[in-house]
Amino acid sequence: MPREIALSGVYLPSLTLLLPLALLLTWGLDRLFARLGLYGFVWHPALLRTSLFGCLYAGMALFIYR
């Protein structure tokens, strides 16, 4: 995957396109965790959501930029 993507003449880093994908994956996993009742076992659900997004986003970035 190229490092930059031209969008209407503006060069954007490819990580910009990963952000909505990471948000969608986080949202889907959040709904799944809520349905399964896993948030009853964690200390701070908002912290889990934030760290889940960070791990997904960083994992996809490392996959692209390795």
Side-chain angles (χ1 to χ4, degrees):
M1 185 171 201
R3 304 260 182 192
E4 294 90 22
I5 296 171
L7 187 66
S8 299
V10 177
Y11 286 103
L12 297 172
S14 57
L15 291 178
T16 306
L17 298 177
L18 289 180
L19 183 72
L21 181 61
L23 284 172
L24 285 173
L25 283 173
T26 302
W27 179 76
L29 286 173
D30 178 53
R31 302 304 262 169
L32 178 68
F33 291 168
R35 183 170 289 206
L36 293 175
L38 294 177
Y39 284 127
F41 298 108
V42 296
W43 171 67
H44 202 286
L47 185 61
L48 177 67
R49 288 181 187 112
T50 305
S51 62
L52 179 65
F53 169 75
C55 289
L56 287 173
Y57 190 62
M60 288 189 291
L62 287 173
F63 182 72
I64 286 178
Y65 285 112
R66 63 177 163 108

